[in-house]
Amino acid sequence: MKKTRNTRQRGVILDIVRASCEHPTAETIYREARRVLPNISLGTVYRNLNFLRDQGTLREIRPSEGGSSRFDGMDTPHAHFHCLRCSALVDIPLPPALESLRFEEEEKISAVSLVDLHVIGSCSGCEAAAAN
Ligand SMILES: [Zn+2]
Ligand SMILES: [Zn+2]
């Protein structure tokens, strides 16, 4: 019985992250999850997010300038653009040049599971607003 409930909670959380293209925070996921599971706690949401991240089902993105972790359910490789002004975190394709990337001191690396590229700056929307 308990196992079934845990699986259901995990499924709801995973669906919320996968359905969002905004890379939600745990708090946002919690608010969404409560519409389906009114008794779910924030602690449960965190536990499930950690579990799914450790499993490799979700990615946790920690903004470099601090702030809450964001969660990403997209399983194809991509880079992130992060706007420092409005905190938007959007998916951008990995540059093709990355595929032919050569690392120095490659002997230190046994296997690469992910190349994490995070582009930080201001988005075009914020630039336009600042110009007015
Ligand atoms: Zn912006
Ligand atoms: Zn993403």
Side-chain angles (χ1 to χ4, degrees):
M1 188 65 204
K2 191 158 194 295
K3 189 159 195 286
T4 312
R5 197 189 69 186
N6 288 346
T7 309
R8 168 116 205 275
Q9 289 173 334
R10 197 166 293 149
V12 167
I13 289 166
L14 188 57
D15 285 348
I16 292 167
V17 179
R18 288 204 165 139
S20 169
C21 50
E22 290 171 0
H23 304 87
T25 62
E27 286 79 8
T28 305
I29 297 161
Y30 169 61
R31 276 199 300 275
E32 288 280 319
R34 284 220 305 187
R35 293 190 204 174
V36 188
L37 305 165
N39 297 320
I40 198 167
S41 71
L42 183 57
T44 300
V45 170
Y46 272 112
R47 256 196 317 282
N48 279 290
L49 287 171
N50 289 341
F51 176 88
L52 291 164
R53 178 205 57 208
D54 293 348
Q55 261 196 337
T57 309
L58 292 183
R59 270 173 71 185
E60 180 176 2
I61 304 155
R62 292 194 176 94
S64 54
E65 74 285 7
S68 304
S69 282
R70 313 272 288 253
F71 291 88
D72 189 338
M74 193 165 145
D75 49 12
T76 52
H78 61 279
H80 289 110
F81 172 75
H82 192 177
C83 177
L84 289 176
R85 295 188 185 178
C86 67
S87 296
L89 183 60
V90 297
D91 293 331
I92 51 174
L94 281 172
L98 221 56
E99 282 166 28
S100 54
L101 203 62
R102 289 279 169 271
F103 297 99
E104 308 229 340
E105 302 183 39
E106 269 180 322
E107 68 278 3
K108 288 180 182 168
I109 303 167
S110 145
V112 176
S113 52
L114 172 76
V115 176
D116 199 0
L117 182 66
H118 212 121
V119 182
I120 296 161
S122 46
C123 71
S124 44
C126 286
E127 281 295 332
N132 287 331

